[in-house]
Amino acid sequence: MKGSDFMKDNKGSTMIEVIVGFTLLMIILSSLTHIIDVSSELFFKSKDMIVKENSFEKNKQKKDAQYNEASDLELSLCIDEEKTDASNLAADINIKLNDIKCLIYEDEETKYKSYKVERK
């Protein structure tokens, strides 16, 4: 009988219930708005990055793209710096590569850099 009494009760919602429901709705909507805002910002940033990357690759592939020797760079190999296994005899071994030259291409438009390694 209580179920049928509930259906006959036409008093509606109290003001507290309406306020609580409205507050919950506003919290959910504000968090969804924030998620959409961050997502759109990331989308546009990634789109700009793709455009810059394509422009950089196009400029680099041109025949007049100049790689300059990066004299201030030194290339060396580091082997077994960290003991990661019981059979690994960790030691700091640095092998300087003297017969290697580092070349750098700097794109003025995008400010990106590309490095290339060649034998001297």
Side-chain angles (χ1 to χ4, degrees):
M1 288 291 171
K2 286 191 177 192
S4 63
D5 289 341
F6 178 73
M7 296 301 279
K8 291 179 183 176
D9 187 15
N10 290 331
K11 291 181 183 176
S13 301
T14 64
M15 185 60 98
I16 299 295
E17 291 170 331
V18 170
I19 291 173
V20 168
F22 185 73
T23 304
L24 288 174
L25 180 66
M26 288 296 108
I27 291 171
I28 292 169
L29 286 177
S30 68
S31 63
L32 287 176
T33 304
H34 180 70
I35 289 171
I36 291 171
D37 185 41
V38 169
S39 297
S40 65
E41 184 179 328
L42 289 174
F43 172 76
F44 288 118
K45 278 184 181 180
S46 67
K47 187 177 177 184
D48 291 342
M49 288 175 68
I50 290 170
V51 168
K52 279 180 97 173
E53 181 68 27
N54 288 339
S55 175
F56 173 72
E57 287 298 325
K58 187 187 292 183
N59 292 342
K60 190 172 80 168
Q61 296 300 325
K62 289 181 182 176
K63 290 182 180 179
D64 62 344
Q66 292 292 326
Y67 278 85
N68 301 316
E69 189 165 353
S71 59
D72 58 337
L73 292 178
E74 182 178 293
L75 192 62
S76 63
L77 299 176
C78 298
I79 302 171
D80 287 337
E81 285 191 336
E82 186 177 335
K83 187 169 181 66
T84 57
D85 190 281
S87 63
N88 181 1
L89 302 174
D92 289 335
I93 301 172
N94 288 320
I95 301 171
K96 188 174 180 183
L97 303 174
N98 294 328
D99 61 338
I100 299 289
K101 66 178 178 178
C102 296
L103 301 173
I104 184 171
Y105 168 71
E106 296 182 65
D107 187 43
E108 294 178 11
E109 181 183 335
T110 60
K111 305 297 184 210
Y112 286 179
K113 296 179 183 179
S114 175
Y115 296 91
K116 185 165 59 170
V117 177
E118 292 181 350
R119 292 190 140 204
K120 287 184 181 178

